[in-house]
Amino acid sequence: MEKTVENHIIKYFDNKEVLSKEDLMELLKNDFPTWSDNTINTYLYKLKKNGVIDNISRGIYTVGKIQLFTPKIDKQLKKIASRIHKGFPFVNYCVWNSSWLNDLMRHQPFKNFTIVEIEKVAAEQVFNELNASFQNTFINPDEIFFERYISVLDNVIIVKNLYSEAPISKTNDLTIPTLEKILVDIVIDDTLFAAQQGELNFIYQSAFNKYDINESKMKRYAARRNRETEVEKLINISLAK
């Protein structure tokens, strides 16, 4: 629920630099009519504590420095998601592009990849569907195949298995990984994300400075992938614990 409130409040500040507490209370009561003043004050306190909003003067709020992770969804991602949704409506999946990491890096990679993660039971079928429509589509390539044949190509689509309970979210009628998932995955798949390996500390620091990140969600997913220790170390360095 806290994330839902956060999304509502971010929208309230569209085209507005500041809002009074009275304005925020009224807007929230319109969206959540059953809430008491105490409930709203509790959420405002939590959002202020987490850096989502700032109390710049008595009773006056502005959006905090922390942003929500809202990556650009290009036409190809929309087409891929549409194909999966229509052909495999009951299968969990997510789509994204490695270029989403670029604004967290010092040096920009020469190549970016479109990544399609799908439940293992449907991976082959989804691969066949996409391979018939998109060039340079590959499924679960190993390190040798990737380095020999894929790394030199442009506009590559990689189909991978989606791990159970992976943190994903729906946005604009398609499903994408959360930033928490992406940050864990770049640690694990050092072949696909070779360009990011030398900048892991910087990427994590940039991400935690810029975006609202759920540490617990990251650690749970990292534990499922058996990389909790490595990920926790990166988190601690980023937060200077």
Side-chain angles (χ1 to χ4, degrees), residues 43-57:
Y43 278 111
L44 291 178
Y45 171 78
K46 289 180 179 179
L47 293 174
K48 180 182 174 183
K49 184 179 179 181
N50 292 336
V52 177
I53 55 176
D54 285 334
N55 191 193
I56 58 175
S57 63

Side-chain angles (χ1 to χ4, degrees), residues 40-84:
I40 292 175
N41 282 327
T42 297
Y43 278 111
L44 291 178
Y45 171 78
K46 289 180 179 179
L47 293 174
K48 180 182 174 183
K49 184 179 179 181
N50 292 336
V52 177
I53 55 176
D54 285 334
N55 191 193
I56 58 175
S57 63
R58 187 175 180 84
I60 301 297
Y61 289 85
T62 187
V63 176
K65 294 180 180 179
I66 300 297
Q67 304 177 38
L68 296 176
F69 181 61
T70 52
K72 181 179 180 181
I73 310 296
D74 62 30
K75 291 182 179 179
Q76 178 167 274
L77 284 179
K78 292 178 181 178
K79 287 181 180 179
I80 291 172
S82 178
R83 291 285 180 89
I84 296 173

Side-chain angles (χ1 to χ4, degrees), residues 30-45:
N30 286 336
D31 288 335
F32 306 96
T34 63
W35 284 7
S36 66
D37 287 354
N38 285 338
T39 300
I40 292 175
N41 282 327
T42 297
Y43 278 111
L44 291 178
Y45 171 78

Side-chain angles (χ1 to χ4, degrees), residues 10-18:
I10 294 296
K11 291 180 180 179
Y12 298 158
F13 282 95
D14 283 351
N15 302 317
K16 294 181 181 179
E17 293 186 6
V18 298

Side-chain angles (χ1 to χ4, degrees), residues 186-237:
I186 63 174
V187 174
I188 297 170
D189 195 341
D190 56 4
T191 297
L192 179 57
F193 303 108
Q196 286 76 28
Q197 295 310 299
E199 295 197 35
L200 287 177
N201 283 340
F202 187 82
I203 290 171
Y204 268 62
Q205 289 170 358
S206 299
F208 274 89
N209 286 334
K210 187 171 184 179
Y211 295 111
D212 179 23
I213 296 175
N214 187 320
E215 289 181 58
S216 297
K217 183 186 293 185
M218 274 189 72
K219 291 176 181 178
R220 285 196 299 271
Y221 178 59
R224 290 192 62 79
R225 303 294 307 274
N226 298 315
R227 299 298 281 273
E228 185 177 15
T229 299
E230 190 171 352
V231 168
E232 187 166 3
K233 182 179 179 181
L234 285 164
I235 292 173
N236 290 340
I237 292 172

